[in-house]
Amino acid sequence: MLTEGLVVVHECLGEADQMLRRLVLSGPIAKTAKAGQFVAVQVQDSSISSFDPLLRRPISLAEVSPDQNEITLLYRIQGRGTEILARARCGERLSVMGPLGNGFSLPEVGELWLVAGGIGIFPLYALAQSALAQGLSVRLFWGGENQSFLRSAGLIDWQALGIPIHLCTLDGTLGDKGFVTEQLQGRLFQSFQLFGQTKLINIENQANNAQHSISEQITVASCGPKKMMQAVTELCMNFAVPVQVSLEERMGCAVGACLGCVCTLVDEKGTLIHKKVCQDGPVFRGEEVVWDESC
């Protein structure tokens, strides 16, 4: 859908040096958008040309409010396109395509674990809201550079959800010092040992027994740096835990025509295939992604 979004809120998010922004747009996209999808926003430098920059900027949906007819986009200023977007003022209208791509799938029952690295936290907030509305238990693992970043990027909003949160920072200023994958690994071991499952479980047995406790019915959704998501996928595969990952790739058209965001996957027969992140993703099953290729 090609439409216009009315800028309702556009503000600095947290500390100014983090260069984070919160943009709320009012428009019809909110009626059909789902967690994990994204929009392509046209940014224009009016001082030069209405078509400069030419390409739209893909931004994930951080929050979807169909009752208010609003979507929330969180982004970091890092490049000319987002620098221009940051100048948009309340009351202006932006050309927006969306909702685009395929988002996350929620399990019917159990516990949803969210694993985020850096600004990969942004698309997971809408997912957490959807999961909680469905009655699922949600747990967050989030790693960032330092305390300043985590607080600026919306930690207080996550705390307001009332869910268990595991934090880590590279410098140790908030939460554990280290990588979020270390926390995930520890919690996976703890969860399975708690129920006497010190050995790796069989996913078919887990899926066929709807009476298993919540801690035995874990689904993971992850977004962040490629290496982090690869490590998350490997951990989840070791424990036979289903995992979804939201890939990030440079996009040209954002609708599948230019083939600029193609990534490599492996199908059920073990055959390598190519799919478009903008159209077939950005969310894929972690085990189908060929991590040592372009995506």
Side-chain angles (χ1 to χ4, degrees), residues 80-129:
R80 182 164 174 265
T82 46
E83 286 177 357
I84 296 173
L85 178 61
R87 302 173 196 163
R89 298 180 178 180
C90 291
E92 292 184 18
R93 292 185 177 274
L94 301 178
S95 175
V96 183
M97 286 198 305
L100 300 172
N102 291 302
F104 293 100
S105 299
L106 287 174
E108 294 183 1
V109 295
E111 186 168 342
L112 178 65
W113 290 10
L114 307 176
V115 185
I119 59 174
I121 192 69
F122 292 159
L124 297 183
Y125 189 77
L127 180 60
Q129 288 183 313

Short mmCIF file of all heavy atoms in Angstrom, two decimals, residues 80-129:
data_model
loop_
_atom_site.label_atom_id
_atom_site.label_comp_id
_atom_site.label_asym_id
_atom_site.label_seq_id
_atom_site.Cartn_x
_atom_site.Cartn_y
_atom_site.Cartn_z
N ARG A 80 22.78 9.84 5.45
CA ARG A 80 22.11 11.02 4.92
C ARG A 80 20.58 10.88 4.93
O ARG A 80 19.86 11.82 5.22
CB ARG A 80 22.59 11.27 3.49
CG ARG A 80 21.99 12.50 2.84
CD ARG A 80 22.75 12.95 1.63
NE ARG A 80 22.06 14.04 0.95
CZ ARG A 80 21.22 13.88 -0.07
NH1 ARG A 80 21.00 12.66 -0.53
NH2 ARG A 80 20.63 14.90 -0.63
N GLY A 81 20.10 9.67 4.61
CA GLY A 81 18.65 9.47 4.56
C GLY A 81 17.98 9.72 5.89
O GLY A 81 16.98 10.44 5.99
N THR A 82 18.50 9.12 6.95
CA THR A 82 17.89 9.32 8.26
C THR A 82 18.17 10.72 8.81
O THR A 82 17.38 11.23 9.61
CB THR A 82 18.40 8.26 9.26
OG1 THR A 82 19.83 8.14 9.16
CG2 THR A 82 17.77 6.91 8.97
N GLU A 83 19.25 11.34 8.38
CA GLU A 83 19.49 12.72 8.77
C GLU A 83 18.39 13.63 8.21
O GLU A 83 17.88 14.53 8.89
CB GLU A 83 20.85 13.20 8.25
CG GLU A 83 22.04 12.63 9.01
CD GLU A 83 23.36 13.07 8.42
OE1 GLU A 83 23.34 13.77 7.38
OE2 GLU A 83 24.41 12.73 8.99
N ILE A 84 17.98 13.38 6.96
CA ILE A 84 16.91 14.16 6.35
C ILE A 84 15.57 13.83 7.01
O ILE A 84 14.77 14.72 7.31
CB ILE A 84 16.84 13.88 4.84
CG1 ILE A 84 18.12 14.37 4.16
CG2 ILE A 84 15.62 14.55 4.22
CD1 ILE A 84 18.23 13.98 2.69
N LEU A 85 15.34 12.54 7.27
CA LEU A 85 14.09 12.13 7.91
C LEU A 85 13.93 12.79 9.27
O LEU A 85 12.81 13.17 9.67
CB LEU A 85 14.05 10.61 8.07
CG LEU A 85 12.83 10.02 8.77
CD1 LEU A 85 11.55 10.36 8.00
CD2 LEU A 85 12.98 8.51 8.92
N ALA A 86 15.03 12.97 9.99
CA ALA A 86 14.98 13.55 11.33
C ALA A 86 14.48 14.99 11.32
O ALA A 86 14.12 15.53 12.37
CB ALA A 86 16.36 13.47 11.98
N ARG A 87 14.45 15.62 10.15
CA ARG A 87 13.98 17.01 10.06
C ARG A 87 12.47 17.12 9.94
O ARG A 87 11.90 18.20 10.03
CB ARG A 87 14.61 17.69 8.85
CG ARG A 87 16.14 17.70 8.85
CD ARG A 87 16.66 18.24 7.53
NE ARG A 87 18.08 17.92 7.34
CZ ARG A 87 18.69 17.99 6.16
NH1 ARG A 87 18.00 18.35 5.07
NH2 ARG A 87 19.97 17.69 6.05
N ALA A 88 11.79 15.99 9.72
CA ALA A 88 10.34 16.01 9.55
C ALA A 88 9.68 16.53 10.83
O ALA A 88 10.05 16.16 11.94
CB ALA A 88 9.83 14.61 9.23
N ARG A 89 8.69 17.38 10.65
CA ARG A 89 8.03 18.00 11.79
C ARG A 89 6.58 17.52 11.93
O ARG A 89 5.98 17.05 10.96
CB ARG A 89 8.04 19.53 11.63
CG ARG A 89 9.44 20.13 11.59
CD ARG A 89 9.38 21.64 11.44
NE ARG A 89 10.71 22.24 11.43
CZ ARG A 89 10.93 23.54 11.31
NH1 ARG A 89 9.89 24.38 11.19
NH2 ARG A 89 12.17 24.01 11.32
N CYS A 90 6.05 17.65 13.13
CA CYS A 90 4.66 17.27 13.37
C CYS A 90 3.74 18.08 12.45
O CYS A 90 3.93 19.28 12.26
CB CYS A 90 4.29 17.53 14.82
SG CYS A 90 5.11 16.44 15.99
N GLY A 91 2.78 17.38 11.87
CA GLY A 91 1.85 18.02 10.95
C GLY A 91 2.21 17.79 9.50
O GLY A 91 1.36 17.94 8.61
N GLU A 92 3.47 17.41 9.23
CA GLU A 92 3.87 17.09 7.86
C GLU A 92 3.34 15.71 7.48
O GLU A 92 3.02 14.88 8.33
CB GLU A 92 5.40 17.11 7.73
CG GLU A 92 6.02 18.48 7.88
CD GLU A 92 7.52 18.45 7.65
OE1 GLU A 92 8.01 17.46 7.05
OE2 GLU A 92 8.22 19.40 8.05
N ARG A 93 3.28 15.47 6.19
CA ARG A 93 2.86 14.16 5.68
C ARG A 93 4.02 13.52 4.92
O ARG A 93 4.66 14.17 4.09
CB ARG A 93 1.63 14.28 4.77
CG ARG A 93 0.38 14.71 5.53
CD ARG A 93 -0.85 14.71 4.64
NE ARG A 93 -2.05 15.05 5.39
CZ ARG A 93 -2.79 14.19 6.07
NH1 ARG A 93 -2.45 12.90 6.07
NH2 ARG A 93 -3.86 14.57 6.74
N LEU A 94 4.27 12.25 5.23
CA LEU A 94 5.34 11.51 4.59
C LEU A 94 4.76 10.41 3.71
O LEU A 94 3.78 9.76 4.08
CB LEU A 94 6.26 10.88 5.64
CG LEU A 94 6.95 11.83 6.63
CD1 LEU A 94 7.77 11.03 7.63
CD2 LEU A 94 7.82 12.85 5.89
N SER A 95 5.38 10.21 2.54
CA SER A 95 4.97 9.12 1.67
C SER A 95 5.52 7.81 2.23
O SER A 95 6.72 7.68 2.47
CB SER A 95 5.52 9.35 0.26
OG SER A 95 5.22 8.24 -0.58
N VAL A 96 4.61 6.85 2.45
CA VAL A 96 4.99 5.60 3.11
C VAL A 96 4.41 4.42 2.34
O VAL A 96 3.24 4.43 1.95
CB VAL A 96 4.48 5.56 4.56
CG1 VAL A 96 4.95 4.28 5.25
CG2 VAL A 96 4.92 6.78 5.33
N MET A 97 5.23 3.39 2.11
CA MET A 97 4.76 2.12 1.56
C MET A 97 4.72 1.09 2.68
O MET A 97 5.70 0.94 3.42
CB MET A 97 5.68 1.62 0.44
CG MET A 97 5.55 2.36 -0.86
SD MET A 97 6.25 1.41 -2.25
CE MET A 97 7.92 1.12 -1.66
N GLY A 98 3.62 0.38 2.77
CA GLY A 98 3.55 -0.65 3.80
C GLY A 98 2.13 -1.05 4.13
O GLY A 98 1.18 -0.47 3.60
N PRO A 99 1.98 -2.02 5.02
CA PRO A 99 3.06 -2.78 5.63
C PRO A 99 3.71 -3.75 4.65
O PRO A 99 3.03 -4.33 3.80
CB PRO A 99 2.37 -3.53 6.77
CG PRO A 99 0.96 -3.71 6.29
CD PRO A 99 0.66 -2.47 5.48
N LEU A 100 5.00 -3.93 4.76
CA LEU A 100 5.77 -4.74 3.82
C LEU A 100 6.37 -5.96 4.52
O LEU A 100 6.65 -5.95 5.72
CB LEU A 100 6.89 -3.91 3.20
CG LEU A 100 6.45 -2.67 2.42
CD1 LEU A 100 7.67 -1.84 2.02
CD2 LEU A 100 5.64 -3.04 1.19
N GLY A 101 6.59 -7.01 3.74
CA GLY A 101 7.26 -8.20 4.22
C GLY A 101 6.39 -9.10 5.06
O GLY A 101 5.19 -8.86 5.26
N ASN A 102 7.00 -10.17 5.55
CA ASN A 102 6.35 -11.14 6.42
C ASN A 102 6.92 -11.00 7.82
O ASN A 102 8.14 -10.99 8.01
CB ASN A 102 6.57 -12.57 5.91
CG ASN A 102 5.82 -12.82 4.62
OD1 ASN A 102 4.60 -12.68 4.56
ND2 ASN A 102 6.53 -13.19 3.57
N GLY A 103 6.03 -10.91 8.80
CA GLY A 103 6.46 -10.69 10.17
C GLY A 103 6.62 -11.97 10.96
O GLY A 103 6.73 -13.07 10.41
N PHE A 104 6.62 -11.83 12.27
CA PHE A 104 6.78 -12.95 13.18
C PHE A 104 5.49 -13.76 13.31
O PHE A 104 4.39 -13.23 13.16
CB PHE A 104 7.18 -12.46 14.57
CG PHE A 104 8.54 -11.84 14.65
CD1 PHE A 104 8.70 -10.46 14.65
CD2 PHE A 104 9.67 -12.63 14.73
CE1 PHE A 104 9.95 -9.88 14.74
CE2 PHE A 104 10.94 -12.06 14.82
CZ PHE A 104 11.07 -10.68 14.82
N SER A 105 5.65 -15.05 13.60
CA SER A 105 4.53 -15.92 13.90
C SER A 105 4.55 -16.23 15.39
O SER A 105 5.59 -16.57 15.95
CB SER A 105 4.61 -17.23 13.11
OG SER A 105 4.58 -16.97 11.72
N LEU A 106 3.41 -16.11 16.03
CA LEU A 106 3.32 -16.38 17.46
C LEU A 106 2.95 -17.83 17.71
O LEU A 106 2.10 -18.39 17.00
CB LEU A 106 2.27 -15.47 18.11
CG LEU A 106 2.63 -14.00 18.27
CD1 LEU A 106 1.43 -13.24 18.81
CD2 LEU A 106 3.81 -13.84 19.23
N PRO A 107 3.54 -18.46 18.72
CA PRO A 107 3.12 -19.81 19.08
C PRO A 107 1.73 -19.75 19.71
O PRO A 107 1.30 -18.69 20.20
CB PRO A 107 4.18 -20.24 20.10
CG PRO A 107 4.65 -18.96 20.71
CD PRO A 107 4.62 -17.95 19.59
N GLU A 108 1.03 -20.85 19.69
CA GLU A 108 -0.31 -20.88 20.27
C GLU A 108 -0.25 -20.87 21.79
O GLU A 108 -1.11 -20.30 22.46
CB GLU A 108 -1.08 -22.11 19.78
CG GLU A 108 -1.37 -22.08 18.28
CD GLU A 108 -2.20 -23.25 17.83
OE1 GLU A 108 -2.55 -24.09 18.69
OE2 GLU A 108 -2.49 -23.34 16.63
N VAL A 109 0.76 -21.54 22.35
CA VAL A 109 0.91 -21.61 23.80
C VAL A 109 2.39 -21.50 24.13
O VAL A 109 3.26 -21.58 23.26
CB VAL A 109 0.35 -22.93 24.38
CG1 VAL A 109 -1.15 -23.01 24.19
CG2 VAL A 109 1.04 -24.13 23.73
N GLY A 110 2.67 -21.36 25.41
CA GLY A 110 4.05 -21.42 25.86
C GLY A 110 4.66 -20.08 26.18
O GLY A 110 3.97 -19.10 26.44
N GLU A 111 5.98 -20.05 26.14
CA GLU A 111 6.73 -18.86 26.51
C GLU A 111 7.54 -18.37 25.33
O GLU A 111 8.23 -19.15 24.66
CB GLU A 111 7.65 -19.18 27.70
CG GLU A 111 8.37 -17.96 28.24
CD GLU A 111 9.05 -18.22 29.57
OE1 GLU A 111 8.68 -19.21 30.24
OE2 GLU A 111 9.95 -17.44 29.95
N LEU A 112 7.47 -17.09 25.06
CA LEU A 112 8.21 -16.48 23.97
C LEU A 112 9.41 -15.74 24.54
O LEU A 112 9.25 -14.84 25.37
CB LEU A 112 7.31 -15.50 23.20
CG LEU A 112 7.96 -14.73 22.05
CD1 LEU A 112 8.39 -15.68 20.94
CD2 LEU A 112 7.00 -13.67 21.50
N TRP A 113 10.58 -16.16 24.09
CA TRP A 113 11.81 -15.49 24.50
C TRP A 113 12.28 -14.57 23.38
O TRP A 113 12.45 -15.01 22.24
CB TRP A 113 12.91 -16.52 24.81
CG TRP A 113 12.66 -17.31 26.05
CD1 TRP A 113 11.53 -17.36 26.81
CD2 TRP A 113 13.60 -18.19 26.68
NE1 TRP A 113 11.69 -18.21 27.86
CE2 TRP A 113 12.96 -18.74 27.81
CE3 TRP A 113 14.91 -18.57 26.40
CZ2 TRP A 113 13.59 -19.65 28.66
CZ3 TRP A 113 15.54 -19.48 27.23
CH2 TRP A 113 14.89 -20.00 28.36
N LEU A 114 12.51 -13.32 23.71
CA LEU A 114 12.98 -12.33 22.75
C LEU A 114 14.45 -12.07 23.01
O LEU A 114 14.84 -11.78 24.15
CB LEU A 114 12.17 -11.04 22.88
CG LEU A 114 10.65 -11.19 22.82
CD1 LEU A 114 9.97 -9.84 23.05
CD2 LEU A 114 10.22 -11.79 21.50
N VAL A 115 15.26 -12.15 21.96
CA VAL A 115 16.70 -11.93 22.10
C VAL A 115 17.11 -10.79 21.17
O VAL A 115 17.00 -10.92 19.94
CB VAL A 115 17.50 -13.21 21.76
CG1 VAL A 115 18.98 -12.98 22.04
CG2 VAL A 115 16.98 -14.40 22.56
N ALA A 116 17.57 -9.70 21.75
CA ALA A 116 17.87 -8.51 20.96
C ALA A 116 19.30 -8.06 21.17
O ALA A 116 19.85 -8.14 22.28
CB ALA A 116 16.91 -7.37 21.33
N GLY A 117 19.88 -7.55 20.11
CA GLY A 117 21.20 -6.93 20.19
C GLY A 117 21.11 -5.51 19.68
O GLY A 117 20.67 -5.28 18.55
N GLY A 118 21.47 -4.54 20.50
CA GLY A 118 21.45 -3.14 20.08
C GLY A 118 20.07 -2.67 19.67
O GLY A 118 19.06 -2.96 20.32
N ILE A 119 19.99 -1.96 18.53
CA ILE A 119 18.71 -1.44 18.08
C ILE A 119 17.84 -2.52 17.46
O ILE A 119 16.72 -2.25 17.02
CB ILE A 119 18.89 -0.27 17.08
CG1 ILE A 119 19.69 -0.72 15.85
CG2 ILE A 119 19.55 0.92 17.75
CD1 ILE A 119 19.77 0.36 14.77
N GLY A 120 18.32 -3.76 17.48
CA GLY A 120 17.47 -4.88 17.10
C GLY A 120 16.30 -5.04 18.06
O GLY A 120 15.37 -5.81 17.79
N ILE A 121 16.32 -4.31 19.16
CA ILE A 121 15.22 -4.32 20.12
C ILE A 121 13.95 -3.70 19.53
O ILE A 121 12.83 -4.04 19.93
CB ILE A 121 15.62 -3.57 21.41
CG1 ILE A 121 14.62 -3.80 22.53
CG2 ILE A 121 15.79 -2.08 21.13
CD1 ILE A 121 14.62 -5.20 23.08
N PHE A 122 14.11 -2.79 18.58
CA PHE A 122 12.97 -1.99 18.12
C PHE A 122 11.81 -2.81 17.56
O PHE A 122 10.66 -2.62 17.98
CB PHE A 122 13.42 -0.94 17.11
CG PHE A 122 14.30 0.14 17.69
CD1 PHE A 122 15.13 0.90 16.88
CD2 PHE A 122 14.30 0.39 19.06
CE1 PHE A 122 15.93 1.91 17.43
CE2 PHE A 122 15.10 1.38 19.62
CZ PHE A 122 15.92 2.14 18.79
N PRO A 123 12.00 -3.74 16.63
CA PRO A 123 10.85 -4.49 16.10
C PRO A 123 10.29 -5.51 17.08
O PRO A 123 9.19 -6.05 16.85
CB PRO A 123 11.42 -5.18 14.86
CG PRO A 123 12.87 -5.31 15.12
CD PRO A 123 13.24 -4.08 15.90
N LEU A 124 10.99 -5.79 18.17
CA LEU A 124 10.53 -6.81 19.11
C LEU A 124 9.49 -6.28 20.09
O LEU A 124 8.77 -7.07 20.72
CB LEU A 124 11.72 -7.40 19.88
CG LEU A 124 12.76 -8.14 19.04
CD1 LEU A 124 13.85 -8.72 19.94
CD2 LEU A 124 12.10 -9.23 18.20
N TYR A 125 9.37 -4.97 20.21
CA TYR A 125 8.39 -4.42 21.15
C TYR A 125 6.96 -4.71 20.68
O TYR A 125 6.10 -5.11 21.48
CB TYR A 125 8.59 -2.91 21.32
CG TYR A 125 7.76 -2.32 22.44
CD1 TYR A 125 8.14 -2.49 23.77
CD2 TYR A 125 6.60 -1.61 22.17
CE1 TYR A 125 7.39 -1.96 24.81
CE2 TYR A 125 5.83 -1.09 23.20
CZ TYR A 125 6.23 -1.26 24.51
OH TYR A 125 5.46 -0.74 25.53
N ALA A 126 6.72 -4.52 19.41
CA ALA A 126 5.39 -4.83 18.86
C ALA A 126 5.08 -6.30 19.01
O ALA A 126 3.93 -6.70 19.27
CB ALA A 126 5.31 -4.41 17.39
N LEU A 127 6.10 -7.15 18.86
CA LEU A 127 5.91 -8.58 19.03
C LEU A 127 5.56 -8.92 20.47
O LEU A 127 4.68 -9.74 20.73
CB LEU A 127 7.18 -9.32 18.59
CG LEU A 127 7.14 -10.84 18.71
CD1 LEU A 127 6.03 -11.43 17.86
CD2 LEU A 127 8.49 -11.44 18.31
N ALA A 128 6.24 -8.29 21.41
CA ALA A 128 5.95 -8.52 22.82
C ALA A 128 4.51 -8.12 23.15
O ALA A 128 3.80 -8.84 23.87
CB ALA A 128 6.92 -7.73 23.69
N GLN A 129 4.07 -7.01 22.62
CA GLN A 129 2.70 -6.57 22.87
C GLN A 129 1.69 -7.57 22.32
O GLN A 129 0.69 -7.90 22.98
CB GLN A 129 2.47 -5.19 22.24
CG GLN A 129 3.17 -4.05 22.97
CD GLN A 129 2.85 -2.71 22.35
OE1 GLN A 129 2.89 -2.54 21.13
NE2 GLN A 129 2.52 -1.73 23.18
#
